Amino acid sequence: MEHFKSNMRDLEFNLFEANRVHEYFGEAPFDSFDADTARDALREVDRLAREDFAASFVEADRTALTLEDGTVRLPDGVKKSLDALYDGGWHLLGVPQELGGFGAPNALRWAATELLVGANPAIFLYASGGLMAGVIAEEGTPEQTERFAKPMVERRWGATMVLTEPDAGSDVGAAKTKAIHVEGDMWHLEGVKRFITSGEADYFENIVHLVLARPEGAGPGTKGLSMFIVPKYLVNDDGTLGERNGIVATNIEHKMGIKGSTTCELTLGMDRPCVGYLVGNVHDGIRQMFKVIEDARMLIGVKSASTLSTGYLNALEYAKERTQGADMTQMRDKTAPRVPIIQHPDVRRMLMLQKSYAEGMRALVHYAAMLLDKAVLEPDNDHWARLNDLLLPMVKGYSSEKGYEMLALSLQTLGGNGYTMDYPMEQYIRDAKIDTIYEGTTAIQGLDLFFRKIVRDQGQTLMKLGQDILATVKGGPEELASERQALGEALEDVQAEVGTLVGYAMASQQDPAEIYKTGFHTTHLLFSLSEVVIAWLLVRHAEIALAALDGASDTDRAFYEGKIASARFFVANVLPQVKLRRQLAEAEDAALMELGTDRF
């Protein structure tokens, strides 16, 4: 099934017309990729994604993975897709040059990721070695870099992030896996981890697990956790592989979606010692692991946006071809010609909602990616990193929620055909649902946004973002005057919503139960702020599109007019929900917390 439909035109619009990345591509430290080289790379990744990488999308979903003697056998088609990725060197795109990678700008790396993770999300999750190697090189000792990080890149080793335990999911600080010191940076680990993505596969020569564990005598909570390098096979001093380490896959989770990804239970120290090496020889695990976690949150947002985009494009193609019913103006004429379903108003409504969300989420994730580059280019200006931190729960939490919701409309557009396995929609939905759950549910993202990214920052970064949005509200083309006015009103509403939740939080210092009022609305705030930011980005894109219409080709004119339509539709149909959430927050009485659990 050639299911994946990329949107290279909108991807390049985000990069080069909206974010103008060509102004710093080709300059140190991104001198290995100028604009032309980046475009060439994206075109090749697009081909790879649509053809070779997407080829195992269905096979991976419908071929049951098996666990035999601690080893998971991957289907041949999955291995071919991974071969295409690795043989082309595309796993090296974002890897630092000092580790043998290409050192591409973040904007380019995440653009390529959009294509690959949209084409085959379950299989792309295996390609984590470069990311983990970078973390080890940054946080580990020089010996750990030589022993693990470099061969992870050179020899295409797999890698995993190992946090979750049976009794410690989102509450990572409840983890019980223990670490016993042996000597130097060597420790023995004992415990059980679960839901470990890519925890086992026979494709890789070796797999390096980054594991959070609690050293004996360490305190409770996340501050008592340390991070350890735990290889599947021990690595000898000369770089050759030694005996199997005592970390073994003891179960495969049978999942609703992304079935081609081996989500495993890993048991540490069961039949033989599980050797782990303390990263950097310092007990700083949660901070170190957050370098992986934040990248994973970005990945899930990109995955959600890309899956929605291909879902929408598949639905659009179907709606243009599927003939059903007469035009509404001729409904009473039983002899009237049948029309493509895109002629029906409600189908157009569903399609434009999908389009505006897909383009809005793409705008959000690529704006966030560009901020990562800004942080590298201006290391003395911490605003860019702070702004990216503020956006990250929106990228992960909002995109995953709305991506899943909109994919249901993609399926709905196809009617009964969408419900069959002849079309990719049902698999898209199954593969996408995990995005709202991965590494902290949406409620966790809402709490992170409010307490860590707004309150702890005393609202400074949020205020600067508000000033940027207000600048768009105050000036622009007359054709978008009503959209700018609506954006300004929504900005006021979300600022008032923030103020209301801050008020409840402050009141809780005298009356602890007041914090419940905040808790009822942090996810609402996540949604409201995300919608204001997305509306702002779409209006900015519409302004660029308006200016580009003069002299545009017919193809470009259609694209630009579509961008303007997306912005107008999102502002008119999505943004009004911000006011409602403000009103709900202001009226909250937290009475639900007093309701007996037997009333539910």
Side-chain angles (χ1 to χ4, degrees), residues 359-415:
E359 293 180 4
M361 287 157 56
R362 178 178 290 114
L364 176 63
V365 299
H366 290 297
Y367 181 68
M370 183 264 293
L371 294 175
L372 292 172
D373 286 339
K374 292 274 193 181
V376 173
L377 293 166
E378 301 178 25
D380 295 330
N381 183 357
D382 68 351
H383 171 66
W384 305 119
R386 287 178 177 272
L387 183 53
N388 178 268
D389 281 345
L390 179 68
L391 295 180
L392 204 52
M394 305 181 216
V395 169
K396 194 280 183 187
Y398 187 80
S399 295
S400 62
E401 287 283 351
K402 292 301 176 178
Y404 179 68
E405 180 183 329
M406 290 299 110
L407 283 167
L409 290 186
S410 301
L411 187 153
Q412 185 76 9
T413 306
L414 272 68

Side-chain angles (χ1 to χ4, degrees), residues 430-458:
R430 289 187 291 104
D431 286 353
K433 182 55 201 166
I434 186 62
D435 297 345
T436 67
I437 300 168
Y438 265 137
E439 195 283 299
T441 60
T442 306
I444 298 295
Q445 303 301 319
L447 291 170
D448 176 68
L449 172 67
F450 180 73
F451 287 105
R452 292 196 179 97
K453 307 303 171 59
I454 296 177
V455 173
R456 187 179 295 179
D457 184 54
Q458 297 181 320

Side-chain angles (χ1 to χ4, degrees), residues 227-273:
M227 188 166 81
F228 299 87
I229 299 167
V230 182
K232 176 180 175 180
Y233 289 97
L234 297 176
V235 181
N236 298 319
D237 291 340
D238 62 359
T240 60
L241 297 187
E243 64 181 9
R244 182 78 181 258
N245 198 5
I247 182 168
V248 180
T250 45
N251 187 40
I252 298 178
E253 310 292 350
H254 299 287
K255 310 185 298 292
M256 169 181 168
I258 57 164
K259 295 183 178 182
S261 169
T262 53
T263 308
C264 297
E265 173 190 84
L266 295 177
T267 300
L268 291 70
M270 180 172 59
D271 295 325
R272 68 188 72 171

Side-chain angles (χ1 to χ4, degrees), residues 51-102:
E51 297 175 6
D52 303 316
F53 204 65
S56 62
F57 176 72
V58 172
E59 180 183 1
D61 180 67
R62 302 179 194 176
T63 305
L65 297 174
T66 59
L67 176 64
E68 299 175 5
D69 297 325
T71 299
V72 173
R73 311 291 180 189
L74 298 187
D76 290 341
V78 168
K79 293 179 179 180
K80 289 180 181 178
S81 290
L82 286 170
D83 284 344
L85 174 71
Y86 283 104
D87 290 348
W90 297 111
H91 65 298
L92 300 173
L93 198 60
V95 175
Q97 291 180 328
E98 54 269 28
L99 290 180
F102 298 141

